[in-house]
Amino acid sequence: MAELPSIASDMAPQESKGPPADHIRSVFAAYAERQSAGDVEGILALFAEEAVVRDPANAPSHHGKAALRSFFEAGFAASGGANDMKLEGAVRIAGNQAAAAFIVRTLRSRPVYRVETLDVMTFDDAGLITEMVAYWGPDNFTRED
Amino acid sequence: MAELPSIASDMAPQESKGPPADHIRSVFAAYAERQSAGDVEGILALFAEEAVVRDPANAPSHHGKAALRSFFEAGFAASGGANDMKLEGAVRIAGNQAAAAFIVRTLRSRPVYRVETLDVMTFDDAGLITEMVAYWGPDNFTRED
């Protein structure tokens, strides 16, 4: 941002490390686009080699690209293909950590469900995701008729 | 929820531990209301005795109610009083962990800023917050004119 408001510098930490905000926002957008396209390799390209994913947050974690490939492939298989995934609101950025809400629609299922999800991502200096934790559960499913 | 869709049970973990979803949603709502009211004691009543807060996520953590009281009091002092805080979208619930986006408006500052924030909370069995991590930074400030 061009002008840091004084209230922001009063409230936020002085030093902000991490990839540029534009890059972080582009990763969140690309993640949703590639999820919507069922593009497993494209999704994996956003992650560091030793990345850890918990999706949802109360499930076991998956560690490393081979495990992530299996996890994302299993996800697409479970839902019968790709779901539509769109950002809901802005990406919130705190240095090299960021979070955003999403709306997923299970277009391959009958009935279709609207699912509220939210991902927290941590980035390395190269701009790759080192950790992703997803927040959603059964209470976030709404049937669309 | 009354009926768990089969796609949810396929996608989500079988066992969902944690306080009831209604309680978790009520805590997120109460947090925003008490922030908006500048009600430090009301905010603290939502937290467990040994709770840890990082707000924002890339700042040092505050541990225990005495430290949290100082932290919240300093926050209200820095912004000249309470800011308006409202949920943006639904609370996402994964067992005893949950997350939601907020919009804060710095009503006491001139100019007023709109700030996009997002909190991840972890709950104990009594329904109190044991950990809260907030995601926001300078890029989430927009001047309102």
Side-chain angles (χ1 to χ4, degrees):
Chain A
M1 64 196 314
E3 173 218 10
L4 181 67
S6 65
I7 191 168
S9 51
D10 288 350
M11 293 167 70
Q14 294 301 309
E15 208 176 340
S16 182
K17 289 195 281 193
D22 283 347
H23 172 78
I24 290 178
R25 282 188 287 261
S26 77
V27 171
F28 275 81
Y31 182 73
E33 286 163 13
R34 295 171 193 185
Q35 276 282 352
S36 301
D39 177 6
V40 171
E41 295 307 318
I43 293 168
L44 290 172
L46 303 172
F47 286 84
E49 201 58 39
E50 298 298 327
V52 175
V53 168
R54 280 187 298 132
D55 184 353
N58 54 337
S61 61
H62 305 276
H63 179 194
K65 281 219 179 174
L68 296 191
R69 180 176 285 107
S70 301
F71 169 71
F72 288 118
E73 286 175 348
F76 288 125
S79 54
N83 295 315
D84 180 65
M85 185 178 196
K86 288 202 167 61
L87 277 164
E88 185 191 28
V91 180
R92 277 72 168 161
I93 303 175
N96 71 331
Q97 303 168 73
F102 295 91
I103 299 294
V104 172
R105 296 180 64 239
T106 65
L107 296 182
R108 315 280 177 149
S109 74
R110 290 296 173 273
V112 171
Y113 286 90
R114 179 182 184 279
V115 192
E116 300 140 349
T117 70
L118 188 155
D119 288 345
V120 174
M121 299 183 187
T122 305
F123 293 86
D124 64 16
D125 290 342
L128 296 170
I129 305 165
T130 57
E131 184 179 74
M132 185 179 81
V133 182
Y135 296 86
W136 59 276
D139 284 278
N140 294 113
F141 282 70
T142 307
R143 183 173 169 158
E144 286 195 345
D145 278 313
Chain B
M1 62 193 317
E3 172 218 11
L4 180 67
S6 64
I7 191 168
S9 50
D10 288 349
M11 294 166 69
Q14 294 302 309
E15 208 174 341
S16 182
K17 288 195 279 191
D22 282 348
H23 172 78
I24 290 177
R25 281 188 288 260
S26 77
V27 171
F28 276 81
Y31 182 73
E33 285 163 14
R34 295 171 193 185
Q35 276 282 352
S36 301
D39 177 7
V40 171
E41 296 307 318
I43 293 168
L44 290 172
L46 303 172
F47 286 84
E49 201 58 40
E50 297 299 327
V52 175
V53 168
R54 281 187 297 131
D55 183 355
N58 56 337
S61 62
H62 306 276
H63 180 195
K65 281 217 178 175
L68 297 191
R69 179 176 286 106
S70 301
F71 169 71
F72 288 118
E73 286 175 348
F76 288 125
S79 54
N83 295 315
D84 180 65
M85 185 178 197
K86 288 202 166 60
L87 276 164
E88 184 192 29
V91 181
R92 278 70 168 161
I93 302 174
N96 71 330
Q97 302 167 76
F102 295 91
I103 299 294
V104 172
R105 296 179 65 238
T106 65
L107 296 182
R108 314 282 177 147
S109 75
R110 290 294 173 274
V112 171
Y113 285 90
R114 179 183 184 277
V115 193
E116 300 140 348
T117 70
L118 188 155
D119 288 345
V120 174
M121 299 183 186
T122 304
F123 294 85
D124 64 16
D125 290 342
L128 295 171
I129 305 166
T130 57
E131 186 180 73
M132 185 178 81
V133 182
Y135 296 87
W136 59 275
D139 285 278
N140 294 113
F141 282 71
T142 307
R143 182 174 170 157
E144 287 194 347
D145 279 312

